[in-house]
Amino acid sequence: MAEDRLRTPEVDTLLSALLALGSEDEAYALLQDLCTIREIQDMAQRLQVARMLAAGEHYAHIQDVTGASATTISRVSKSLNYGADGYRTILGKLDGDS
């Protein structure tokens, strides 16, 4: 199973590090150190796409607003609908549903 290959001790340490962050500034600093600018922008774009898909927006409108490719929107949609519920969990938290 792909999930089992991903869940390594190193990934668990990364998860613990993320959970230990106490502020947006700390999270931003860690992202700057861990990721390229492009990777951070791509992750932010995917989260925006997920939020728009969850709100029922159409692909063409999402492309216009976010600049995301149809492939990216499709991948996010697949994860949103058939993934591990990470998007739905965080969207619920961001929207105050938790």
Side-chain angles (χ1 to χ4, degrees):
M1 199 183 219
E3 292 174 38
D4 295 336
R5 288 192 310 252
L6 179 60
R7 195 71 185 258
T8 64
E10 294 82 8
V11 171
D12 284 341
T13 299
L14 174 61
L15 296 174
S16 294
L18 293 171
L19 291 170
L21 295 169
S23 69
E24 286 184 11
D25 288 340
E26 288 179 1
Y28 185 69
L30 182 60
L31 281 177
Q32 283 185 303
D33 288 349
L34 283 176
C35 304
T36 66
I37 292 168
R38 183 66 196 183
E39 288 168 335
I40 296 168
Q41 291 169 334
D42 286 348
M43 287 187 289
Q45 181 188 63
R46 288 191 292 269
L47 186 57
Q48 183 182 15
V49 167
R51 179 175 260 160
M52 294 178 78
L53 285 167
E57 299 287 347
H58 295 284
Y59 276 38
H61 179 68
I62 295 170
Q63 271 186 296
D64 289 343
V65 171
T66 67
S69 69
T71 301
T72 295
I73 297 168
S74 178
R75 285 181 183 156
V76 171
S77 178
K78 182 178 177 185
S79 292
L80 188 64
N81 293 308
Y82 306 107
D85 286 335
Y87 281 125
R88 293 210 184 271
T89 298
I90 197 59
L91 291 174
K93 289 179 184 289
L94 291 173
D95 294 337
D97 294 342
S98 63

